[in-house]
Each structure stands twice: as C-alpha cells, then as structure tokens.
Amino acid sequence: MKNKEFILKEQWQITKHLVRWLLLVLPVAVITGLLVALFLWTLDLATEIRWQFSWIIFLLPLAGVFITVLYKYFGKGTELGNNLIIDQIHLNDNNGVPLRMTPLIIFTTVVTHLFGGSAGREGTAVQVGGSISAFFSKVFNLNQEDNTFILMTGIAAGFGAVFGTPVSGAIFALEVLAIGRMKYNALLPCLMASIIADVTCSLCGIEHTKYHIDSVTTITTILPNIDIDVKLMFTVASAGVLFGLISILFVQLSDFIKKTATLYLKNKLIIALTGGILVISISYLLGTLDYLGIGVKSINTDGISIVSAFKQGGVNYFSWFWKLLLTVITLSMGYKGGEVTPLFFIGAAFGNTFASICGGPIDLFAGLGFIAVFAAATNTPIASFIMGIELFGSEYMPYYAIACFVAYYFSGHKGIYHSQKIAVSKANILK
Amino acid sequence: MKNKEFILKEQWQITKHLVRWLLLVLPVAVITGLLVALFLWTLDLATEIRWQFSWIIFLLPLAGVFITVLYKYFGKGTELGNNLIIDQIHLNDNNGVPLRMTPLIIFTTVVTHLFGGSAGREGTAVQVGGSISAFFSKVFNLNQEDNTFILMTGIAAGFGAVFGTPVSGAIFALEVLAIGRMKYNALLPCLMASIIADVTCSLCGIEHTKYHIDSVTTITTILPNIDIDVKLMFTVASAGVLFGLISILFVQLSDFIKKTATLYLKNKLIIALTGGILVISISYLLGTLDYLGIGVKSINTDGISIVSAFKQGGVNYFSWFWKLLLTVITLSMGYKGGEVTPLFFIGAAFGNTFASICGGPIDLFAGLGFIAVFAAATNTPIASFIMGIELFGSEYMPYYAIACFVAYYFSGHKGIYHSQKIAVSKANILK
C-alpha cells in the first residue's frame, strides 16, 4: 500500500504547513488587530473632535502641508501605499515595505480625518497589516515564497479587522492581487490571520456599525414558488451597470486630478494646500460638512451618511457625486486614508437615489451599491459579495451576486489599485 | 480625451458580450432547468415506489446488468460522466459530449435509485447541463473559446437547478476545473445560467429540502464582545481535518473497488451483478434500507437520513461509514448517479456523530459536515462555503469557512473528479 503511505505523508506535510503558518500568522494578526483597534479608536476620537469644533476644518490645508512634509522626510518608499504591498507580493520581495509605514499611515490618516479630509480606513489598515507582516518576515528570515504568503496574511488581517468581516478579509487578500483570477495558495493562512485580527480588534472593544436590509421581505414575487423576483433581478443588473460606471468615474477623476495638479501646480506643498482649500470651499458651497471625514454616521440626526443612505430620503440626488468629488480631491492631492469607506458611501448613496427614481426597496439598493461600487473599483467581486453577506445577512444574496458581478464587468480593466495584474480579461476584450 | 473614448468602447464591448451570452445561455439554462425538474420529479417517484414495494431492491443486480448493457450499446464516449465535461473544457473541444448523454444518464440514474442503489443527483444534472450546452454549441457553431464558456454555463445550470443554489452553482462551475485556482472568465454567463435554470426548475414546482441550524444561538461565547466562539472554532477546525480524511477514504475506496473488481471479476456485467448483490446483502446485514437511494429523507419517522442527521440521536455512530461504503460500491460497480448528495449524507452523519462525541451543537456540525466533505472531495472550498450560506443562512458563516477550507487542505490533491487539473498545490507540497 505505497499509495496509502504517500497520502498520510501528504497530510503530515499539510499539518506541519498549517501549524507553522498558525505560529507565523499569530504575531502578525494580533499586532495588526491591536493597531487597527488603536487606529479605529483614534479615528472615532478625531471625528468626535471635528464634530465638536467644526472650525478645525479651516486648518485642513495646513494639515495637508504637514502630511506632505512628513512624507517627504520619513515616507520615502511608502508613498505608494497599498500598491506597494501588492507590488512586493508580485515581486516576491521582503525588503520593500518598511516598518515605519505603520506609524506614518496611522498618524497621517487620523490627521486627514481630524481636519476634515474625505477619506476611508481600509487603506490604512491594509498598510499596517502589510508593514507589520513585512517586519516579521525579516524577523523570521522567511524565504521569497513565504514572504509573499505573510504579506497576503497582513492584507487579510488588516482588512478583516477594520471592517469586522473576517471571511471577506481573507478572500480579499487572495482576490486583490490580479484581475480575473484567484489563487488559493494562502487560503487558510489568510483566513487564520483575518479571524485572529478581527477577534483581537473586537476584544479591544471596537464595535462595527450594523446595517439593516429588511424592507424587501414585503415584496411579492410575480412568479409563484420561487424566491427570486425576476423584475427586481433586472433592476439590480441595471443598477450594477451604473455602479461599475461610477467606479470608472472615481478612478478616472483621481488620475485626472493627480495629473492636472502635477502639471499646473507642480510643488507638492501647493497641491496639498490647494486640495484642502478646495475641500473646504466645496463643503461650504454645498452648505454641509456631512461629506467630510469617514461618513459612516452624521452628527445631525437628519444628516447624510452611510447609515442614512439605508433610509428613504436619507440622501440627496447628488450626494453620491459630492462624496466622490471630495474624496478624489482629498486622496489625489496629498492626504491619506483609504478609498473603500468612501466607496461604500458613494455606492450606498447612489443606490438610494437609484431606488427612489427607478423604484425598488431603498435599503436593498443602498446595500447593493455599498458592496458593488467597492467590487468594481477594487476588482474583487467575490470578496465584496461575501462582505455583503457578512454585513447584511444572506436573505438577498443572489441580488448581491448580480450587483457585484455586473459592476465588476462594467468597471473595465483599471481600478483603484494600479499594481493589480490583469490575469483574465473581462469579457474577452484584452487578448 | 482619447482615454474616455476607449473606456466607452470597452463598456460597449462588455455590453455586447453579456447580451450575446444572455441569448446563448437562455436556451441552455431553460432546457437544463426543465430536464432537471423532470429528473428530480422522476427521482422522487422512483423513491416513493421503492418505499412502497421494498422487494424491488432484489432486482438491483439485474438493473445493474441492464445499465451496463445500455451503456455498452449507447453510451460510447459518455462513460466518463462529469470528467468528460471537465476534460472537454480543458481541451477546448466541442465534439466530445454527445446529446444522448442526457437521456442515458437521466434514465440510468432513475433506474439506479428505483432499485435501491446508493447514489446522488448532481452528477446527472451536471451531465445534462453539459450535454445540452454541447448540443447548442454545435447548433450555434461556436468557436473553441466560446465552447469552453458554454460548457461551463451548462455545469452551472445543472448544479444550480438540482440543489436550488444558484450562486454556488455558478461558483462551482468556475472552481471545479482546477485545484487551487479560480478563473473568472465566465463569471456572469455562469451566474445567468444557474439563476435561469434554478428559476425554471422552481417554476415546474420543484421544491428543495430545507435544512435548519438554530441551536447555536443559545451558545454563550467565552470572550466578551465578539461573535466568534474561539473554543468552537478549534473544534470546527478539528472536525474539518476529519471531513477531509473522510473524503480521501471515499476517493481511495472508490479507486480500490474499481481496480479490484476489474482485476478479479473482469466482465462488466458480473461486476454490476456483484455490486448489486453486495448492496442488498450489506443493507440486510445492517437491518435497514435507509442507506439506499438518495437518502435525503427516510420512509420511517425515526429513520436515518440527511434530515435526521441534523437532530440529536438522528444517526448511529457508523451511519456515515455505511453510507460511504454503499455509495462507493454502487458508483464504482456500474450504477449511475452523482456523488454529491451521498457526500452530504456522509458529512452530515459524521458531523452529528462528531458533535455527540466531542461536544458541540449537533445541527451546526451536521451542516458543516454536509458542506465540508463535499468541499474536500470536489476541491471546491468557496462554492461549498457559499452553498452553506444558501442552504443554512449566514449566521455561522465563519465556521463554514473554517470547516470547508480545512477539509479542502486535508483532502490532498485527488478528488472525485480525476480530470481536475492541479493549478496551485495545497500547502506548497507539489512543486
């Protein structure tokens, strides 16, 4: 029975592999979880302070200058952010991600939020996970292949902890590397990392915002005996197309502003200063500060936020566009933070507006926009679909799949992460 | 703005691609859905008849001879079943899957079930979807690449319709082709196919068995403020290892029986005859007919079935093994049907036993075994995880992920589909 022996040998190797990775992942995930908790706690504090002292936003241009100077002196080699980590994974390199990325990105993200920049948090968390894992890669003296693995677990840990969604955190780390293909090489190490980081973060007392979709239960399907409402399915697919196009607008506008600013303003300090002034001016023209900061909640009970987007009349028809514009200016002109939470805001607000105009349950379409614009902009349709289930429950999961997959197709081959490889063309366009 | 023009061109190409595929998929999915409905209806009838006239199982050996003769005269080139379809996708071929596969596999599967063979139904549904799609590939005169796509949509349609799980049906079709890698080339065409087929099948009045996991809500977590119970997580991971090993036992025992039978019995008719006699004899030694047929429900109120496995005391300690043995004999010795429903039975029964011995919520572990043994044997961890959510809801989804992913790792590099390529080694074992 040679065959049997070989099998047992294989299981033994798998066991060793997994135990080894549990030990390697443990410090990365625990420390990432702790730092993400610290980050989220500080972020909440910064938001509270800005709500209390709203004049603070007039200091945003100066904050931008400060961040730019900080990065000029200490940020060398970290400016690429998430793209740097994706690059290093593709290069099998373990020297490119410095540990100082962690304090730098946490500090500058909090500064951005404190003074009213419109930004997110996943980028920060992923960079923390990435730089902590790169640090341990050096400590453990890992070889190239293992280094790739540990960087992926860092992404999973950061993403899983910051949103409280461990399964989509793990899938995101596998899926984000290349468009159109998922390799399972670090499937379990990534799941371990995101669960451990999420548990650590939760143990620190971090609570994640809960969203609810429940109006759809009152829908009557036109066909008997089936759970899927065919008309709603087509409405969701149409919304998916628009979610994909919004993601293109986000990516293209970011590139356009970056290029234009570099072309005409040249100096990075002046770019940051101008960006800050633009953000303040636009906010005052709009007459609301609700599009600043993280945007999960608003200080006003009738304010505009991700949470309000799940309610009838919770946003204006162009809320999605103003959040998009302010975020793109903030992140393209020298301020720091993630893109994903603003993408949630943009998607949820647009979903709300779409449902108001085209008819459909507001909360369902807000939830669909939340995950589908993210799916489109990051090219991670399966992680986004799973995130929908983790955040909103499974009742409407076929609609999540339709919205995320359609948006993914329509966002083309460019996303917010320029370092993503194109592995498989969408719709056989690129040969 | 050349750039903008190019983008709009890309969206236009994507739109054409998707509309074209919706039209191509429509006849494949509708006809597959109808045929799967017919198949499931006939299967139910066959089960009812066997329950009414239990003496019918004595004809099983003759039924085996009949099936073998049928395949000898009409089955040329279809014997490989699901593997044939996977092969054709890898070969980019559109001539290898004959249309007569559909009537042959439906008829012989129903015969197998009528006379008491222990078998499933997903293999049949996938073969129906595969041969219907191959037929339309010829009708539409598709090129090699499109042929690959349409065969994948056939798998998705069959799988989605037969279990009423459209999202996991689509993911299964992408994931089953190669171990360790998922390519998104036919993501939306597969989703369209599985949803359309599922809706068609449901419109024909087919209802799928509902399973419930709810006892876990009473569990108190040992750590405050987190949803995940750490101790339960480790118990689930341990169970995952065993689920993976059971899948190996299934695959190895199938190979062993096939080889031994061919070596000693030589003639296919004698093999089928012997297989039938073995199945009847073992059932009589066990004193129950509950391990015969599809096994979703039992005729006796206190009988053993997939449904009973979700209840305390619903199975015996070795129920999983007897179902495994009878299924392996049935399917390796000339009878027809799928492997997946028996794998659900084996997994759910073992999960029940595991929870009784090691402590844990019975229904949760039955559900975990249901999806994880399937994940391990087919090397489709993500489709299985999603199927868990589609069948049991999302409340315990981190546990589904742990069980499916761990079982996937521990099942090694061989599964029930020999035509699967190995794209990425599990745990870096195969270089």
mmCIF file of all heavy atoms in Angstrom, chain A residues 273-311:
data_model
loop_
_atom_site.group_PDB
_atom_site.id
_atom_site.type_symbol
_atom_site.label_atom_id
_atom_site.label_comp_id
_atom_site.label_asym_id
_atom_site.label_seq_id
_atom_site.Cartn_x
_atom_site.Cartn_y
_atom_site.Cartn_z
ATOM 1 N N LEU A 273 -2.077 72.193 -0.254
ATOM 2 C CA LEU A 273 -2.739 73.429 0.183
ATOM 3 C C LEU A 273 -3.998 73.669 -0.648
ATOM 4 O O LEU A 273 -5.093 73.910 -0.111
ATOM 5 C CB LEU A 273 -1.746 74.588 -0.018
ATOM 6 C CG LEU A 273 -1.795 75.787 0.924
ATOM 7 C CD1 LEU A 273 -1.554 75.364 2.365
ATOM 8 C CD2 LEU A 273 -0.702 76.797 0.520
ATOM 9 N N THR A 274 -3.842 73.571 -1.965
ATOM 10 C CA THR A 274 -4.976 73.790 -2.869
ATOM 11 C C THR A 274 -6.081 72.760 -2.619
ATOM 12 O O THR A 274 -7.276 73.097 -2.587
ATOM 13 C CB THR A 274 -4.519 73.665 -4.342
ATOM 14 O OG1 THR A 274 -3.305 74.398 -4.499
ATOM 15 C CG2 THR A 274 -5.577 74.195 -5.290
ATOM 16 N N GLY A 275 -5.660 71.506 -2.435
ATOM 17 C CA GLY A 275 -6.631 70.444 -2.185
ATOM 18 C C GLY A 275 -7.466 70.752 -0.957
ATOM 19 O O GLY A 275 -8.709 70.640 -0.978
ATOM 20 N N GLY A 276 -6.795 71.166 0.115
ATOM 21 C CA GLY A 276 -7.505 71.496 1.350
ATOM 22 C C GLY A 276 -8.491 72.631 1.145
ATOM 23 O O GLY A 276 -9.652 72.562 1.585
ATOM 24 N N ILE A 277 -8.028 73.659 0.438
ATOM 25 C CA ILE A 277 -8.904 74.810 0.184
ATOM 26 C C ILE A 277 -10.114 74.398 -0.662
ATOM 27 O O ILE A 277 -11.258 74.794 -0.380
ATOM 28 C CB ILE A 277 -8.113 75.942 -0.517
ATOM 29 C CG1 ILE A 277 -7.046 76.484 0.456
ATOM 30 C CG2 ILE A 277 -9.043 77.072 -0.966
ATOM 31 C CD1 ILE A 277 -6.026 77.405 -0.184
ATOM 32 N N LEU A 278 -9.875 73.565 -1.661
ATOM 33 C CA LEU A 278 -10.980 73.067 -2.498
ATOM 34 C C LEU A 278 -12.013 72.310 -1.658
ATOM 35 O O LEU A 278 -13.219 72.517 -1.804
ATOM 36 C CB LEU A 278 -10.437 72.134 -3.591
ATOM 37 C CG LEU A 278 -9.904 72.784 -4.861
ATOM 38 C CD1 LEU A 278 -9.275 71.726 -5.776
ATOM 39 C CD2 LEU A 278 -11.048 73.493 -5.604
ATOM 40 N N VAL A 279 -11.532 71.407 -0.797
ATOM 41 C CA VAL A 279 -12.448 70.603 0.022
ATOM 42 C C VAL A 279 -13.313 71.506 0.901
ATOM 43 O O VAL A 279 -14.543 71.348 0.983
ATOM 44 C CB VAL A 279 -11.658 69.592 0.875
ATOM 45 C CG1 VAL A 279 -12.550 68.950 1.937
ATOM 46 C CG2 VAL A 279 -11.045 68.512 -0.007
ATOM 47 N N ILE A 280 -12.674 72.489 1.541
ATOM 48 C CA ILE A 280 -13.443 73.400 2.399
ATOM 49 C C ILE A 280 -14.443 74.213 1.570
ATOM 50 O O ILE A 280 -15.626 74.331 1.928
ATOM 51 C CB ILE A 280 -12.496 74.377 3.136
ATOM 52 C CG1 ILE A 280 -11.481 73.601 3.978
ATOM 53 C CG2 ILE A 280 -13.295 75.310 4.039
ATOM 54 C CD1 ILE A 280 -10.373 74.473 4.525
ATOM 55 N N SER A 281 -13.969 74.759 0.462
ATOM 56 C CA SER A 281 -14.839 75.616 -0.354
ATOM 57 C C SER A 281 -16.053 74.841 -0.843
ATOM 58 O O SER A 281 -17.199 75.326 -0.750
ATOM 59 C CB SER A 281 -14.072 76.157 -1.571
ATOM 60 O OG SER A 281 -12.809 76.616 -1.192
ATOM 61 N N ILE A 282 -15.809 73.661 -1.386
ATOM 62 C CA ILE A 282 -16.938 72.874 -1.905
ATOM 63 C C ILE A 282 -17.931 72.564 -0.789
ATOM 64 O O ILE A 282 -19.146 72.675 -0.966
ATOM 65 C CB ILE A 282 -16.426 71.585 -2.587
ATOM 66 C CG1 ILE A 282 -15.600 71.947 -3.829
ATOM 67 C CG2 ILE A 282 -17.592 70.680 -2.978
ATOM 68 C CD1 ILE A 282 -14.908 70.790 -4.488
ATOM 69 N N SER A 283 -17.406 72.198 0.384
ATOM 70 C CA SER A 283 -18.288 71.901 1.513
ATOM 71 C C SER A 283 -19.143 73.110 1.861
ATOM 72 O O SER A 283 -20.338 72.990 2.137
ATOM 73 C CB SER A 283 -17.473 71.489 2.738
ATOM 74 O OG SER A 283 -16.947 70.222 2.562
ATOM 75 N N TYR A 284 -18.526 74.307 1.853
ATOM 76 C CA TYR A 284 -19.305 75.498 2.206
ATOM 77 C C TYR A 284 -20.300 75.871 1.119
ATOM 78 O O TYR A 284 -21.413 76.305 1.420
ATOM 79 C CB TYR A 284 -18.387 76.659 2.595
ATOM 80 C CG TYR A 284 -18.159 76.592 4.084
ATOM 81 C CD1 TYR A 284 -17.171 75.769 4.618
ATOM 82 C CD2 TYR A 284 -19.018 77.268 4.959
ATOM 83 C CE1 TYR A 284 -17.018 75.637 5.984
ATOM 84 C CE2 TYR A 284 -18.870 77.150 6.333
ATOM 85 C CZ TYR A 284 -17.874 76.331 6.836
ATOM 86 O OH TYR A 284 -17.752 76.192 8.183
ATOM 87 N N LEU A 285 -19.923 75.646 -0.124
ATOM 88 C CA LEU A 285 -20.886 75.865 -1.211
ATOM 89 C C LEU A 285 -22.076 74.921 -1.075
ATOM 90 O O LEU A 285 -23.218 75.283 -1.337
ATOM 91 C CB LEU A 285 -20.215 75.640 -2.577
ATOM 92 C CG LEU A 285 -19.301 76.767 -3.060
ATOM 93 C CD1 LEU A 285 -18.581 76.356 -4.349
ATOM 94 C CD2 LEU A 285 -20.117 78.042 -3.302
ATOM 95 N N LEU A 286 -21.794 73.672 -0.659
ATOM 96 C CA LEU A 286 -22.872 72.700 -0.503
ATOM 97 C C LEU A 286 -23.675 72.955 0.763
ATOM 98 O O LEU A 286 -24.786 72.452 0.927
ATOM 99 C CB LEU A 286 -22.298 71.278 -0.462
ATOM 100 C CG LEU A 286 -21.643 70.784 -1.752
ATOM 101 C CD1 LEU A 286 -20.952 69.444 -1.515
ATOM 102 C CD2 LEU A 286 -22.695 70.634 -2.850
ATOM 103 N N GLY A 287 -23.071 73.707 1.690
ATOM 104 C CA GLY A 287 -23.768 74.016 2.928
ATOM 105 C C GLY A 287 -23.859 72.858 3.900
ATOM 106 O O GLY A 287 -24.750 72.794 4.744
ATOM 107 N N THR A 288 -22.962 71.867 3.782
ATOM 108 C CA THR A 288 -22.957 70.752 4.739
ATOM 109 C C THR A 288 -21.546 70.223 4.915
ATOM 110 O O THR A 288 -20.743 70.251 3.980
ATOM 111 C CB THR A 288 -23.874 69.608 4.276
ATOM 112 O OG1 THR A 288 -23.703 68.500 5.182
ATOM 113 C CG2 THR A 288 -23.522 69.124 2.875
ATOM 114 N N LEU A 289 -21.274 69.763 6.121
ATOM 115 C CA LEU A 289 -19.971 69.136 6.384
ATOM 116 C C LEU A 289 -20.103 67.611 6.397
ATOM 117 O O LEU A 289 -19.179 66.897 6.778
ATOM 118 C CB LEU A 289 -19.409 69.631 7.725
ATOM 119 C CG LEU A 289 -19.276 71.159 7.870
ATOM 120 C CD1 LEU A 289 -18.664 71.510 9.225
ATOM 121 C CD2 LEU A 289 -18.418 71.746 6.747
ATOM 122 N N ASP A 290 -21.264 67.102 5.977
ATOM 123 C CA ASP A 290 -21.516 65.663 6.063
ATOM 124 C C ASP A 290 -20.647 64.833 5.124
ATOM 125 O O ASP A 290 -20.496 63.627 5.316
ATOM 126 C CB ASP A 290 -22.986 65.357 5.773
ATOM 127 C CG ASP A 290 -23.870 65.635 6.985
ATOM 128 O OD1 ASP A 290 -23.317 65.786 8.095
ATOM 129 O OD2 ASP A 290 -25.091 65.697 6.827
ATOM 130 N N TYR A 291 -20.110 65.468 4.101
ATOM 131 C CA TYR A 291 -19.274 64.686 3.163
ATOM 132 C C TYR A 291 -17.819 64.634 3.593
ATOM 133 O O TYR A 291 -16.991 64.050 2.898
ATOM 134 C CB TYR A 291 -19.393 65.268 1.745
ATOM 135 C CG TYR A 291 -20.801 65.274 1.239
ATOM 136 C CD1 TYR A 291 -21.435 66.453 0.883
ATOM 137 C CD2 TYR A 291 -21.520 64.085 1.148
ATOM 138 C CE1 TYR A 291 -22.748 66.464 0.440
ATOM 139 C CE2 TYR A 291 -22.830 64.089 0.712
ATOM 140 C CZ TYR A 291 -23.440 65.272 0.360
ATOM 141 O OH TYR A 291 -24.742 65.257 -0.067
ATOM 142 N N LEU A 292 -17.505 65.265 4.715
ATOM 143 C CA LEU A 292 -16.123 65.222 5.212
ATOM 144 C C LEU A 292 -15.927 64.009 6.113
ATOM 145 O O LEU A 292 -16.883 63.456 6.643
ATOM 146 C CB LEU A 292 -15.817 66.507 5.979
ATOM 147 C CG LEU A 292 -15.995 67.804 5.175
ATOM 148 C CD1 LEU A 292 -15.605 69.005 6.019
ATOM 149 C CD2 LEU A 292 -15.163 67.763 3.894
ATOM 150 N N GLY A 293 -14.672 63.633 6.272
ATOM 151 C CA GLY A 293 -14.345 62.556 7.207
ATOM 152 C C GLY A 293 -14.770 61.192 6.697
ATOM 153 O O GLY A 293 -14.897 60.966 5.496
ATOM 154 N N ILE A 294 -15.056 60.292 7.644
ATOM 155 C CA ILE A 294 -15.312 58.898 7.292
ATOM 156 C C ILE A 294 -16.728 58.707 6.759
ATOM 157 O O ILE A 294 -16.969 57.875 5.882
ATOM 158 C CB ILE A 294 -15.035 57.991 8.522
ATOM 159 C CG1 ILE A 294 -15.057 56.515 8.165
ATOM 160 C CG2 ILE A 294 -15.997 58.262 9.668
ATOM 161 C CD1 ILE A 294 -13.796 56.060 7.524
ATOM 162 N N GLY A 295 -17.691 59.483 7.286
ATOM 163 C CA GLY A 295 -19.037 59.487 6.717
ATOM 164 C C GLY A 295 -19.926 58.317 7.079
ATOM 165 O O GLY A 295 -21.004 58.155 6.510
ATOM 166 N N VAL A 296 -19.499 57.489 8.038
ATOM 167 C CA VAL A 296 -20.349 56.359 8.412
ATOM 168 C C VAL A 296 -21.622 56.869 9.084
ATOM 169 O O VAL A 296 -22.718 56.391 8.823
ATOM 170 C CB VAL A 296 -19.599 55.384 9.336
ATOM 171 C CG1 VAL A 296 -20.539 54.305 9.858
ATOM 172 C CG2 VAL A 296 -18.440 54.749 8.591
ATOM 173 N N LYS A 297 -21.439 57.861 9.978
ATOM 174 C CA LYS A 297 -22.599 58.491 10.622
ATOM 175 C C LYS A 297 -22.495 60.005 10.444
ATOM 176 O O LYS A 297 -21.450 60.512 10.036
ATOM 177 C CB LYS A 297 -22.623 58.153 12.109
ATOM 178 C CG LYS A 297 -22.952 56.710 12.380
ATOM 179 C CD LYS A 297 -22.756 56.384 13.835
ATOM 180 C CE LYS A 297 -22.861 54.874 14.052
ATOM 181 N NZ LYS A 297 -22.409 54.487 15.388
ATOM 182 N N SER A 298 -23.551 60.717 10.770
ATOM 183 C CA SER A 298 -23.513 62.172 10.720
ATOM 184 C C SER A 298 -23.784 62.703 12.122
ATOM 185 O O SER A 298 -24.436 62.041 12.941
ATOM 186 C CB SER A 298 -24.574 62.694 9.757
ATOM 187 O OG SER A 298 -24.736 64.079 9.919
ATOM 188 N N ILE A 299 -23.277 63.905 12.412
ATOM 189 C CA ILE A 299 -23.549 64.494 13.728
ATOM 190 C C ILE A 299 -25.002 64.934 13.816
ATOM 191 O O ILE A 299 -25.608 64.916 14.881
ATOM 192 C CB ILE A 299 -22.586 65.680 14.003
ATOM 193 C CG1 ILE A 299 -22.743 66.169 15.444
ATOM 194 C CG2 ILE A 299 -22.780 66.786 12.995
ATOM 195 C CD1 ILE A 299 -21.776 67.282 15.798
ATOM 196 N N ASN A 300 -25.609 65.304 12.690
ATOM 197 C CA ASN A 300 -27.006 65.739 12.675
ATOM 198 C C ASN A 300 -27.930 64.536 12.513
ATOM 199 O O ASN A 300 -27.627 63.611 11.764
ATOM 200 C CB ASN A 300 -27.249 66.685 11.490
ATOM 201 C CG ASN A 300 -26.200 67.775 11.445
ATOM 202 O OD1 ASN A 300 -25.983 68.490 12.414
ATOM 203 N ND2 ASN A 300 -25.495 67.869 10.309
ATOM 204 N N THR A 301 -29.049 64.565 13.196
ATOM 205 C CA THR A 301 -29.956 63.415 13.109
ATOM 206 C C THR A 301 -30.531 63.257 11.697
ATOM 207 O O THR A 301 -30.824 62.150 11.268
ATOM 208 C CB THR A 301 -31.133 63.554 14.114
ATOM 209 O OG1 THR A 301 -31.606 64.891 14.033
ATOM 210 C CG2 THR A 301 -30.689 63.235 15.523
ATOM 211 N N ASP A 302 -30.669 64.375 10.976
ATOM 212 C CA ASP A 302 -31.150 64.260 9.595
ATOM 213 C C ASP A 302 -30.006 64.451 8.590
ATOM 214 O O ASP A 302 -30.217 64.810 7.438
ATOM 215 C CB ASP A 302 -32.278 65.256 9.313
ATOM 216 C CG ASP A 302 -31.804 66.691 9.535
ATOM 217 O OD1 ASP A 302 -30.740 66.851 10.165
ATOM 218 O OD2 ASP A 302 -32.492 67.621 9.083
ATOM 219 N N GLY A 303 -28.771 64.215 9.051
ATOM 220 C CA GLY A 303 -27.604 64.388 8.192
ATOM 221 C C GLY A 303 -27.463 63.260 7.189
ATOM 222 O O GLY A 303 -28.185 62.257 7.230
ATOM 223 N N ILE A 304 -26.498 63.450 6.280
ATOM 224 C CA ILE A 304 -26.265 62.460 5.234
ATOM 225 C C ILE A 304 -25.049 61.612 5.594
ATOM 226 O O ILE A 304 -23.974 62.142 5.922
ATOM 227 C CB ILE A 304 -26.058 63.169 3.882
ATOM 228 C CG1 ILE A 304 -27.390 63.783 3.435
ATOM 229 C CG2 ILE A 304 -25.550 62.198 2.824
ATOM 230 C CD1 ILE A 304 -27.232 64.818 2.364
ATOM 231 N N SER A 305 -25.209 60.297 5.545
ATOM 232 C CA SER A 305 -24.128 59.383 5.930
ATOM 233 C C SER A 305 -24.404 58.024 5.306
ATOM 234 O O SER A 305 -25.436 57.839 4.651
ATOM 235 C CB SER A 305 -24.097 59.236 7.448
ATOM 236 O OG SER A 305 -25.287 58.604 7.879
ATOM 237 N N ILE A 306 -23.491 57.078 5.513
ATOM 238 C CA ILE A 306 -23.758 55.725 5.009
ATOM 239 C C ILE A 306 -25.018 55.169 5.672
ATOM 240 O O ILE A 306 -25.879 54.588 5.018
ATOM 241 C CB ILE A 306 -22.555 54.789 5.273
ATOM 242 C CG1 ILE A 306 -21.293 55.327 4.592
ATOM 243 C CG2 ILE A 306 -22.874 53.382 4.779
ATOM 244 C CD1 ILE A 306 -20.080 54.430 4.732
ATOM 245 N N VAL A 307 -25.129 55.380 6.985
ATOM 246 C CA VAL A 307 -26.300 54.861 7.701
ATOM 247 C C VAL A 307 -27.590 55.481 7.156
ATOM 248 O O VAL A 307 -28.584 54.780 6.923
ATOM 249 C CB VAL A 307 -26.163 55.122 9.218
ATOM 250 C CG1 VAL A 307 -27.469 54.824 9.947
ATOM 251 C CG2 VAL A 307 -25.033 54.269 9.803
ATOM 252 N N SER A 308 -27.578 56.805 6.898
ATOM 253 C CA SER A 308 -28.808 57.455 6.416
ATOM 254 C C SER A 308 -29.172 56.997 5.007
ATOM 255 O O SER A 308 -30.335 57.050 4.604
ATOM 256 C CB SER A 308 -28.663 58.980 6.448
ATOM 257 O OG SER A 308 -27.989 59.455 5.293
ATOM 258 N N ALA A 309 -28.151 56.571 4.238
ATOM 259 C CA ALA A 309 -28.416 56.120 2.869
ATOM 260 C C ALA A 309 -29.307 54.886 2.835
ATOM 261 O O ALA A 309 -29.898 54.561 1.804
ATOM 262 C CB ALA A 309 -27.107 55.839 2.138
ATOM 263 N N PHE A 310 -29.413 54.160 3.955
ATOM 264 C CA PHE A 310 -30.272 52.972 4.013
ATOM 265 C C PHE A 310 -31.731 53.336 4.291
ATOM 266 O O PHE A 310 -32.582 52.460 4.404
ATOM 267 C CB PHE A 310 -29.761 51.983 5.070
ATOM 268 C CG PHE A 310 -28.558 51.197 4.599
ATOM 269 C CD1 PHE A 310 -27.300 51.772 4.548
ATOM 270 C CD2 PHE A 310 -28.693 49.886 4.174
ATOM 271 C CE1 PHE A 310 -26.198 51.059 4.091
ATOM 272 C CE2 PHE A 310 -27.600 49.161 3.715
ATOM 273 C CZ PHE A 310 -26.352 49.752 3.667
ATOM 274 N N LYS A 311 -32.000 54.671 4.429
ATOM 275 C CA LYS A 311 -33.375 55.083 4.746
ATOM 276 C C LYS A 311 -33.957 55.934 3.634
ATOM 277 O O LYS A 311 -33.254 56.703 2.997
ATOM 278 C CB LYS A 311 -33.373 55.890 6.053
ATOM 279 C CG LYS A 311 -33.084 55.023 7.260
ATOM 280 C CD LYS A 311 -32.798 55.869 8.475
ATOM 281 C CE LYS A 311 -32.122 55.027 9.557
ATOM 282 N NZ LYS A 311 -31.192 55.798 10.375
#
